[in-house]
């Protein structure tokens, strides 16, 4: 279901994507597959236009990823959350998210996210 949601999201069919994400979330929750639940919440947050709901989904994803010690998912959720905070002008929370993402990315040697976090921090300092 998550893959179908991503496919519809890629072709700008957000309503259909959200339907598949909801199904993925329900299934992953019902079977106790929390790693998929955390990932689905991230994708749901990215595809919606409601920033407050996206923040809630990403925060929930971070809690689950922390509980599971799933650093990769936590890092990505923090990246996405930081971008949303930046778009809202909430630069303190944005800075906190990107700094946490950078720390995690360095710890797990996730070079792509190290670069993303550094770029996000650079952009933040530029606009502040």
């Amino acid at each position: 279901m998550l893959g179908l949601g991503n496919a519809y999201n890629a072709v700008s069919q957000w309503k259909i994507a959200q339907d598949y994400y909801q199904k993925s979330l329900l299934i992953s929750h019902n079977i106790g597959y929390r790693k998929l639940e955390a990932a689905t919440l991230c994708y749901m947050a990215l595809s919606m236009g409601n920033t407050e709901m996206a923040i809630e989904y990403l925060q929930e994803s971070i809690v689950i990823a922390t509980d599971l010690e799933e650093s990769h998912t936590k890092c990505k959720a923090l990246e996405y959350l930081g971008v949303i905070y930046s778009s809202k002008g909430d630069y303190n929370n944005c800075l906190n998210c990107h700094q946490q993402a950078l720390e995690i990315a360095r710890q797990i040697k996730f070079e792509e996210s190290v670069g993303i976090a550094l770029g996000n921090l650079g952009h933040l300092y530029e606009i502040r």
Side-chain angles (χ1 to χ4, degrees), residues 2 25 28-29 33-46 52-81 84 100 104:
L2 179 59
L25 189 60
S28 61
H29 181 76
Y33 190 9
R34 298 193 75 214
K35 182 176 178 179
L36 178 60
E37 187 176 349
T40 301
L41 286 165
C42 281
Y43 286 110
M44 287 176 71
L46 292 175
E52 294 307 315
M53 199 66 157
I55 289 170
E56 287 181 35
Y57 286 160
L58 288 166
Q59 289 172 336
E60 188 174 345
S61 179
I62 291 166
V63 168
I64 293 169
T66 300
D67 289 348
L68 296 175
E69 298 180 1
E70 179 54 45
S71 298
H72 181 270
T73 301
K74 183 177 180 179
C75 182
K76 297 307 285 182
L78 285 163
E79 285 175 12
Y80 303 147
L81 187 56
I84 291 172
Q100 286 182 64
I104 292 167

Side-chain angles (χ1 to χ4, degrees), residues 5-6 25 27 32 72 74 86 93 96 110 127:
N6 289 341
L25 189 60
I27 292 168
H72 181 270
K74 183 177 180 179
S86 177
N93 278 325
N96 183 43
F110 186 26
I127 62 175

Side-chain angles (χ1 to χ4, degrees), residues 60-124:
E60 188 174 345
S61 179
I62 291 166
V63 168
I64 293 169
T66 300
D67 289 348
L68 296 175
E69 298 180 1
E70 179 54 45
S71 298
H72 181 270
T73 301
K74 183 177 180 179
C75 182
K76 297 307 285 182
L78 285 163
E79 285 175 12
Y80 303 147
L81 187 56
V83 170
I84 291 172
Y85 281 136
S86 177
S87 73
K88 292 180 53 140
D90 186 346
Y91 300 125
N92 289 331
N93 278 325
C94 173
L95 177 63
N96 183 43
C97 288
H98 290 317
Q99 287 175 330
Q100 286 182 64
L102 178 60
E103 182 179 328
I104 292 167
R106 284 181 169 156
Q107 287 173 354
I108 62 174
K109 298 181 180 8
F110 186 26
E111 297 303 320
E112 175 187 343
S113 281
V114 168
I116 290 169
L118 289 170
N120 287 337
L121 286 166
H123 176 72
L124 175 62

